[in-house]
Amino acid sequence: MHCWIDGQEATAVNLQNRGLAYGDGLFETIAVRGGKPSLLTRHLDRLALGCQRLAIDVDLLLVRNELLQFAQLLGEGVAKLILTRGDSQRGYASAPGAQARRILQGSPLPVYPAQHAELGVRLFPCQTRLAEQPLLAGLKHLNRLEQVLARAEWQDSAYAEGLMRDSQGRVIEGVYSNLFLVRGKVLLTADLSRCGVAGVMRGALLEQAPLSGVVVEVRDLTLEDLQQADEVFVCNSVYGIWPVREFAALNWPAGPLTLKLQAVARTLLDT
């Protein structure tokens, strides 16, 4: 596995790194194909938003250039970009003038069963709830313990993903994906202003769907909305779109709008 820290080959971080101590940082998981990072601009735009929200000072042009070089080296795979506030002594206060640390890790593209995309997946009903914190909502920050706990709830390979709700029971997302519902000709996805990750593929689909005449609504979703859905799918920036065929006692087909957007997602991953 390739690994760079601050643009140099390395295999270890300083024990005083705030990402290690406090989860003080952000990350992006980026598919690399043909030596090029997919959806690069969208990933960097989200990273820039996170840096602004967390007040992390970093040269984003340098980050971009390093990522492009790293992708060429990797060729095919997944580049995980981790950005931390840097190193500091013990205590929550960051050291004045601390330099942000840039970590790049490369790994092979995951191999998923073809039926996930063709026939759809089953969702596990996770009991772990997402806490509400508007200051962090939407960001892909390093504090992922809720997802770690949720993913530990099932070992059965029959489930490819889990469904997560917030503390009020609202339907939010998958453990590592965003969730969409189709009702009639309307595409629905959860409001992420309280919690959840604003996925790069989610954002791209919200822009692309209306170009095909699809009405899009971003709002609070409930289990009742799931029951009334005609189609359901999950998405992320590595695999694109998987139809959801089953959740608890509910079943859905891999419907026409899901399949149409699945083709859109494939094209997006090649850009």
Side-chain angles (χ1 to χ4, degrees), residues 175-187:
V175 175
Y176 59 100
S177 62
N178 286 118
L179 180 80
F180 281 86
L181 314 182
V182 178
R183 186 187 297 174
K185 296 182 179 180
V186 179
L187 184 66

Side-chain angles (χ1 to χ4, degrees), residues 1-5 7-9 30 32 35-37 63-81 103-107:
M1 182 174 71
H2 298 293
C3 183
W4 288 4
I5 298 178
Q8 303 295 321
E9 288 190 20
I30 305 168
V32 175
K36 296 181 180 180
V63 171
R64 182 181 188 276
N65 289 337
E66 285 181 355
L67 182 55
L68 288 171
Q69 295 172 30
F70 189 79
Q72 286 186 327
L73 174 67
L74 186 60
E76 299 285 328
V78 175
K80 183 172 184 178
L81 168 62
I103 303 169
L104 279 164
Q105 296 173 296
S107 58

Side-chain angles (χ1 to χ4, degrees), residues 9 20 42 45 57 59 70 86-88 102 106 117 123 127 133 137 145 179 206 214 256 264:
E9 288 190 20
L20 174 64
R42 293 181 180 276
D45 284 347
D57 185 18
D59 184 342
F70 189 79
D87 305 337
S88 69
R102 310 176 308 277
L123 298 185
Q127 298 303 306
Q133 175 46 275
L145 282 178
L179 180 80
L206 288 175
V214 178
V264 171

Side-chain angles (χ1 to χ4, degrees), residues 7 15 17 37 39 51 115 149 153 155-156 167 180 203 229 241 255 259:
L15 291 178
N17 189 285
L39 299 167
C51 288
Q115 65 184 20
L149 292 173
E153 290 185 32
Q155 303 301 321
D156 188 345
S167 58
F180 281 86
I241 286 177
L259 297 178

Side-chain angles (χ1 to χ4, degrees), residues 29-171:
T29 305
I30 305 168
V32 175
R33 294 178 173 84
K36 296 181 180 180
S38 298
L39 299 167
L40 175 61
T41 298
R42 293 181 180 276
H43 279 289
L44 292 178
D45 284 347
R46 180 172 62 181
L47 186 68
L49 175 63
C51 288
Q52 181 182 34
R53 189 100 60 89
L54 298 184
I56 295 176
D57 185 18
V58 67
D59 184 342
L60 290 171
L61 179 58
L62 175 62
V63 171
R64 182 181 188 276
N65 289 337
E66 285 181 355
L67 182 55
L68 288 171
Q69 295 172 30
F70 189 79
Q72 286 186 327
L73 174 67
L74 186 60
E76 299 285 328
V78 175
K80 183 172 184 178
L81 168 62
I82 301 174
L83 188 66
T84 79
R85 195 180 302 276
D87 305 337
S88 69
Q89 300 297 319
R90 180 182 176 277
Y92 291 130
S94 58
Q99 298 296 309
R101 294 294 183 195
R102 310 176 308 277
I103 303 169
L104 279 164
Q105 296 173 296
S107 58
L109 279 167
V111 179
Y112 298 111
Q115 65 184 20
H116 285 7
E118 296 169 0
L119 303 178
V121 299
R122 297 173 67 190
L123 298 185
F124 184 86
C126 296
Q127 298 303 306
T128 303
R129 299 297 180 92
L130 293 164
E132 297 179 27
Q133 175 46 275
L135 292 175
L136 299 177
L139 302 186
K140 199 156 187 180
H141 53 76
L142 293 177
N143 296 271
R144 296 291 109 195
L145 282 178
E146 291 168 332
Q147 285 75 17
V148 169
L149 292 173
R151 183 59 187 88
E153 290 185 32
W154 83 91
Q155 303 301 321
D156 188 345
S157 61
Y159 296 99
E161 244 290 29
L163 181 71
M164 298 194 72
R165 295 185 286 161
D166 67 12
S167 58
Q168 301 302 311
R170 290 178 285 250
V171 172

